[in-house]
Amino acid sequence: MTPHIPDPTGAEADDLAAVVALRELADRLEDATVERAMRAGWSWTQVAEALGVTRQAVHKKHHRRLELAGIELRRRNA
Amino acid sequence: MPDRLDDTALDPTLKEVIVSSIDEAIGRGASSVEAEHLLLAISAGHDIAGRTLAEFGLDHDGVDAALRGERERSLRAAGIEPVAEERLAATRKSRPSWGATVREALRRADFGAHRGRPRAERERLAVADALVGILRAELGTVPRALAFAGVDRQALIAAIERL
């Protein structure tokens, strides 16, 4: 018996693709927004609090990228 | 890194295309290089694989439009309107990771398809073999994008396999 191949544009495939698109959108929005906040002078602690994650988590995820972007990161109360 | 890249005998043209797929991923703010980025890189080439894609309306702009259309429809399925690109502009990681879909595409590619042919011809067709690997996916971003764009994926595979 030929295995059933689901329609790539069917209802279930649409919802699964929505998950992919939402993850991608969330990742890109996070990168863009964290960068804007840090340029505006937010501290790591403030960004972490707004995202509801630990300071360590947000620092680990974005520190290198923002250093590459040449953003002067706040040291005090950071 | 896709397993094929570990292969020292990897055809230089294919290697070039795989490397430019990294730039396609970075340019789109993707955190990983996926099959659609390899498809974009192949569509930007002027070799036989790129020309065949263009005959199906899939030059680089065509693939880009098809992929955007897929993402917009997928977001709408969750009730989300597209977000303006300028709100998503960010400094990117210089090196995205290799995603599962690009690995799978290279696994599906039959690089031995032209075994009997001269080396120069095999090299010329290595990108086409990788393209078939991408197009063989039945589910996910690429088949959805092509279906929404009205591209007959099976006819495209058949055309490439005839090269």
Side-chain angles (χ1 to χ4, degrees):
Chain A
M1 200 178 109
T2 314
H4 168 68
I5 297 168
D7 176 3
T9 59
E12 294 85 5
D14 272 352
D15 281 350
L16 290 166
V19 174
V20 177
L22 285 167
R23 281 204 182 114
E24 182 187 86
L25 179 62
D27 284 345
R28 292 190 63 197
L29 194 56
E30 178 177 332
D31 282 355
T33 313
V34 169
E35 186 169 337
R36 271 204 302 278
M38 298 299 281
R39 282 189 199 280
W42 286 47
S43 68
W44 288 115
T45 306
Q46 289 162 343
V47 170
E49 194 174 359
L51 284 173
V53 298
T54 64
R55 180 192 175 283
Q56 286 77 9
V58 79
H59 188 269
K60 187 178 173 194
K61 192 166 176 185
H62 297 285
H63 179 257
R64 234 183 97 74
R65 191 174 62 83
L66 297 189
E67 261 193 349
L68 283 174
I71 295 172
E72 202 173 310
L73 303 169
R74 268 171 64 177
R75 297 286 170 206
R76 199 154 48 96
N77 192 32
Chain B
M1 187 174 282
D3 310 328
R4 285 288 305 177
L5 271 191
D6 297 335
D7 185 348
T8 49
L10 187 66
D11 161 63
T13 319
L14 177 59
K15 194 162 192 170
E16 210 171 282
V17 169
I18 289 173
V19 168
S20 74
S21 70
I22 300 170
D23 293 331
E24 296 283 359
I26 292 170
R28 282 162 177 74
S31 56
S32 57
V33 182
E34 301 293 347
E36 59 264 35
H37 303 123
L38 188 54
L39 179 62
L40 280 160
I42 294 172
S43 72
H46 299 290
D47 65 333
I48 190 82
R51 288 203 302 274
T52 308
L53 279 174
E55 282 167 19
F56 281 74
L58 295 173
D59 58 5
H60 192 265
D61 284 352
V63 174
D64 190 52
L67 290 171
R68 278 176 203 280
E70 191 280 328
R71 280 296 188 261
E72 284 183 15
R73 288 179 83 135
S74 299
L75 285 176
R76 286 211 176 91
I80 306 289
E81 287 298 311
V83 175
E85 275 300 311
E86 55 265 28
R87 279 184 64 202
L88 300 174
T91 305
R92 303 299 174 197
K93 276 197 296 191
S94 56
R95 190 64 192 253
S97 56
W98 293 106
T101 58
V102 79
R103 288 175 190 276
E104 186 56 32
L106 292 176
R107 252 197 301 273
R108 282 188 174 130
D110 180 8
F111 290 103
H114 310 103
R115 203 173 282 119
R117 302 211 204 172
R119 185 190 169 92
E121 205 177 332
R122 283 203 312 272
E123 287 187 358
R124 192 172 68 86
L125 292 169
V127 176
D129 294 337
L131 177 55
V132 170
I134 296 169
L135 296 172
R136 279 185 182 149
E138 301 281 357
L139 294 165
T141 299
V142 170
R144 283 172 61 80
L146 299 194
F148 291 140
V151 174
D152 183 341
R153 195 164 50 86
Q154 294 307 330
L156 178 54
I157 291 173
I160 296 160
E161 284 180 339
R162 279 197 299 272
L163 294 176

